Amino acid sequence: MNGWISEFRMSKEQNGRLGWVERIGYGLGDLASNLYFQMFNMFLLFYYTDVFGISAAAVSWIFLLSRVWDAVNDPVMGVIADRTRTRWGSFRPFILWFAIPFGVAGYFMFYSPDLSPGWKIAYAALTYTLVSMLYTAVNIPYSGLMAVISPSSAERARVSSIRFIFAFLGGWVIVQFLPPLKESLGGGDDVIGFRNTMLLFAAMATILFLLTFATTKERVAPEATTSDRKQLGEDIKTLVTTRPWLILVFAGLINLTAVAIKNGSNIFYFKYVVPGTSDVEVASFGSGGWMAMILGVMCTGLLIKFFEKRKLIIWLTIIGGIGMALPYWIDPGLRITMPGVETGAYSIFGLEMTSVVFFPENPRWIYIINLLGSFAAGPPVALVWTMYTDVAAFIRWKHNRRITGLVVSAAVFSQKFGMAIGGWFAGMLLTWCGFKANMEQTDTSKHGILLLFSLIPAVLIVGQGVAMFFYRLTDGQMREIEKELDEQEAASVPV
């Protein structure tokens, strides 16, 4: 196995280009991450309130307080990765070491033991925090790996596009297969259904992470560094005074806050605001959006040939924000006459699954708007992550410091903290509006759910585009920086 992997690795390494086995192998890691991340993003608030039986207010504080702890351990993980030296590199070994613990902890997070209300809150807080820490231990090194997998910014952009195709594929898998798997594996019992479904997803994620470790390689060699307090202090000072990094962190924070609010409210919107919506329609809405995002990411390589990354992000986030806002004014029952594509019933590993509607006949207008907005949301996500690796190269060029792990730890922190703020806000707004799980909702609570589904995330997404207006590290500058770094490395190689 190692022989043919090595052959493919060497096939395109000239000029920093990678083979397809390595590009896909790296992407599998984000598929693994999103089997967890999107499960939490789309279903965790609902699971805790409607299945495990915790109040929305308690869940919101669990989300927020856990992220306060992440404010400490995320940068620490970045520092540890930067200073790790093994025969596998600085970042890859963490994927190997923590893949299995991450899988096991994710399963127990959805185990749902029969406890008293107080102990349920404690169990949820403990397992959620543990999984978040293990997510940090795997995902910060995984994200840092992209910065050292190739010295070329253009190749990192290609890898990032492929990575996010797999990331969004993970979201599609969750929204498309969780409902029928939950029913099939639980026999109508949501507690058992979630538990067994997460066992399947956890096993898949573990295997995918191990494949990422086996198929990738670190090519940008780390410099010799010390781990003393003075060196670390200088690294942090350099980071927090780098303007492009600060802008990316802020933009990422508000983006993930919006995404957490929007995706977490989808299931509440269809359950309580649009009564009579079938499970197939709900799955179709979610899976259609994810497929549109995947298509958007696939177009990223083409788009960046004609548009500068920063400008592309600004305009696409504004378009996506408008798409998110429109459902506030549109009757959710309003439909448009269009042909549909529907499969028949099928089975997976002997489990009978419901039919899949990729584009339902006479779909709701909100379905069409969701497709367009989701397509626009795809490229910015992939491009922002390439910008983090650009910032790492910029710091290396300007300050002669390699702090890739610290740079990307902020990306993961803003991602998780944004999700936490979104989850906290959604839970608190539901509480303020008088939401009661598994009951008929008042007009006030329905309006609160509608705001979470549309206007609130729309304003945040547009805010991300405004923030990116102040990001000034252009594609042309990055090409010059890469050229100078290559010349410096060539000059330092002994003859």
Side-chain angles (χ1 to χ4, degrees):
M1 179 177 177
N2 288 337
W4 66 263
I5 289 175
S6 298
E7 289 180 15
F8 275 101
R9 279 178 179 165
M10 296 174 62
S11 62
K12 292 187 177 181
E13 287 192 11
Q14 295 82 7
N15 300 319
R17 290 179 65 85
L18 308 179
W20 276 101
V21 167
E22 189 163 5
R23 290 173 179 172
I24 292 172
Y26 183 78
L28 292 177
D30 227 3
L31 173 56
S33 292
N34 277 273
L35 290 177
Y36 276 61
F37 186 77
Q38 298 303 339
M39 180 81 153
F40 302 163
N41 199 8
M42 293 185 283
F43 291 101
L44 191 56
L45 178 59
F46 174 82
Y47 168 79
Y48 278 148
T49 58
D50 287 40
V51 179
F52 198 36
I54 302 175
S55 70
V59 176
S60 67
W61 285 109
I62 290 173
F63 286 165
L64 188 62
L65 294 177
S66 177
R67 296 288 76 80
V68 172
W69 171 237
D70 275 339
V72 176
N73 68 64
D74 279 6
V76 168
M77 188 67 237
V79 171
I80 292 172
D82 279 332
R83 286 157 170 76
T84 297
R85 302 290 182 266
T86 75
R87 62 192 179 94
W88 299 306
S90 297
F91 302 104
R92 290 174 61 236
F94 292 96
I95 300 173
L96 174 66
W97 295 337
F98 289 102
I100 294 176
F102 186 43
V104 172
Y107 167 71
F108 279 103
M109 185 174 172
F110 285 86
Y111 189 76
S112 192
D114 186 12
L115 302 170
S116 66
W119 280 109
K120 281 188 175 183
I121 293 173
Y123 184 88
L126 177 63
T127 54
Y128 181 68
T129 302
L130 177 61
V131 169
S132 294
M133 291 177 66
L134 290 169
Y135 184 93
T136 294
V138 174
N139 215 263
I140 285 177
Y142 170 77
S143 299
L145 174 59
M146 189 170 73
V148 297
I149 203 170
S150 170
S152 166
S153 177
E155 181 60 26
R156 293 196 301 268
R158 295 186 192 98
V159 172
S160 183
S161 297
I162 295 166
R163 167 190 180 178
F164 281 98
I165 290 173
F166 281 99
F168 295 153
L169 181 61
W172 178 81
V173 167
I174 293 297
V175 77
Q176 184 65 65
F177 293 108
L178 186 141
L181 280 173
K182 176 172 65 68
E183 290 299 316
S184 298
L185 298 176
D189 186 326
D190 280 350
V191 170
I192 297 175
F194 268 100
R195 179 189 301 165
N196 292 340
T197 301
M198 195 59 201
L199 175 62
L200 177 62
F201 289 152
M204 290 174 58
T206 300
I207 294 169
L208 291 170
F209 271 130
L210 295 176
L211 286 173
T212 295
F213 169 80
T215 56
T216 54
K217 179 181 178 182
E218 298 184 21
R219 290 174 178 79
V220 179
E223 64 183 3
T225 185
T226 63
S227 57
D228 60 47
R229 195 169 299 172
K230 181 180 178 181
Q231 178 80 8
L232 177 58
E234 289 296 321
D235 287 350
I236 294 174
K237 181 180 177 180
T238 299
L239 190 64
V240 299
T241 55
T242 301
R243 178 186 172 94
W245 178 83
L246 293 172
I247 293 170
L248 288 180
V249 169
F250 179 73
L253 178 65
I254 58 178
N255 173 270
L256 266 295
T257 301
V259 169
I261 292 172
K262 175 65 169 62
N263 288 349
S265 66
N266 285 351
I267 192 167
F268 291 95
Y269 177 77
F270 286 107
K271 181 175 180 178
Y272 296 111
V273 179
V274 191
T277 306
S278 68
D279 290 341
V280 171
E281 273 192 294
V282 176
S284 180
F285 179 88
S287 62
W290 283 109
M291 293 304 290
M293 291 182 80
I294 291 172
L295 181 60
V297 174
M298 292 174 69
C299 294
T300 302
L302 177 63
L303 291 172
I304 61 176
K305 290 181 179 179
F306 301 99
F307 303 98
E308 202 265 338
K309 286 186 291 191
R310 168 181 160 274
K311 293 179 181 178
L312 191 59
I313 290 177
I314 291 171
W315 285 108
L316 288 178
T317 50
I318 291 173
I319 293 171
I322 293 172
M324 279 190 180
L326 287 177
Y328 184 79
W329 294 281
I330 294 177
D331 180 355
L334 188 64
R335 295 178 179 270
I336 181 173
T337 302
M338 296 183 74
V341 179
E342 181 174 347
T343 70
Y346 62 101
S347 63
I348 296 180
F349 303 118
L351 300 172
E352 295 301 321
M353 311 291 283
T354 56
S355 61
V356 180
V357 178
F358 291 100
F359 200 87
E361 187 176 0
N362 300 332
R364 301 172 190 265
W365 264 109
I366 57 172
Y367 184 99
I368 305 299
I369 293 169
N370 182 56
L371 291 178
L372 297 175
S374 297
F375 176 84
V381 177
L383 292 175
V384 164
W385 280 89
T386 68
M387 288 176 170
Y388 275 109
T389 63
D390 288 348
V391 168
F394 170 75
I395 291 174
R396 181 173 147 226
W397 167 76
K398 184 175 182 180
H399 302 285
N400 194 29
R401 290 186 175 276
R402 297 177 189 256
I403 53 173
T404 302
L406 198 55
V407 169
V408 299
S409 71
V412 176
F413 171 72
S414 66
Q415 183 184 59
K416 293 199 295 183
F417 196 60
M419 192 175 81
I421 293 175
W424 173 83
F425 181 85
M428 294 307 297
L429 184 61
L430 290 175
T431 301
W432 294 332
C433 293
F435 170 81
K436 300 293 182 183
N438 300 312
M439 295 178 61
E440 177 66 27
Q441 303 302 312
T442 64
D443 289 342
T444 301
S445 63
K446 288 181 180 178
H447 185 247
I449 293 171
L450 179 58
L451 285 172
L452 293 172
F453 182 77
S454 56
L455 283 186
I456 293 173
V459 170
L460 291 169
I461 287 294
V462 172
Q464 179 197 8
V466 173
M468 290 304 300
F469 178 80
F470 298 96
Y471 181 88
R472 301 299 184 186
L473 194 56
T474 67
D475 294 348
Q477 286 178 294
M478 283 309 305
R479 285 190 289 269
E480 291 298 318
I481 288 171
E482 287 174 6
K483 182 179 178 181
E484 290 189 30
L485 288 174
D486 288 342
E487 290 173 352
Q488 291 172 12
E489 290 195 359
S492 66
V493 175
V495 179

